[in-house]
Amino acid sequence: RTAPMSASGPNQPANVRPGGREAEVFNDDIFSELRAAAQVPDDFANAGWDLEQLKHGGGKGGTLMARIGNLYIIKELSKGDHAALLEVTSSYGQHVKGGESLISPIYLHFR
């Protein structure tokens, strides 16, 4: 299991402020590698959306979503999905870095 990174930890990315807010970022050592490989800037989620824009996306999970232009989706995670992502982040990162994948890319995990 990959340990979550705390917001006050020494590896907290200074330029990551989702929606312009301070956030606790999880496993950014892995997600920053995935962003770099996909040429996604670290600050991609900082602007272009805010919490008030979150709305039901029509998916079966019923969680809230917001779009950042036509490039990215910010998706709320249920408690179970959050815990599952913490559990699989390391293997997910290895899988995605391994080449072609049909899994939707995840570039940031925050609270």
Side-chain angles (χ1 to χ4, degrees), residues 1-107:
R1 178 176 160 151
T2 305
M5 188 187 297
S6 74
S8 59
N11 296 325
Q12 177 68 19
N15 59 342
V16 174
R17 295 179 51 84
R21 296 174 177 250
E22 297 256 343
E24 182 176 12
V25 176
F26 301 93
N27 299 308
D28 203 57
D29 54 328
I30 295 169
F31 290 114
S32 65
E33 287 182 19
L34 299 180
R35 289 192 302 270
Q39 299 180 343
V40 173
D42 287 341
D43 64 355
F44 79 99
N46 289 7
W49 75 283
D50 59 42
L51 293 175
E52 288 75 37
Q53 290 177 315
L54 290 171
K55 59 184 175 183
H56 291 283
K60 66 179 183 166
T63 56
L64 303 178
M65 296 186 212
R67 292 186 178 272
I68 303 175
N70 292 324
L71 294 177
Y72 307 107
I73 295 174
I74 302 294
K75 185 180 183 303
E76 177 186 51
L77 296 179
S78 67
K79 287 181 183 183
D81 288 345
H82 169 70
L85 185 54
L86 289 174
E87 289 283 335
V88 304
T89 298
S90 181
S91 59
Y92 168 80
Q94 291 173 4
H95 172 78
V96 172
K97 288 187 288 186
E100 296 286 323
S101 176
L102 298 176
I103 299 175
S104 296
I106 300 170
Y107 297 123

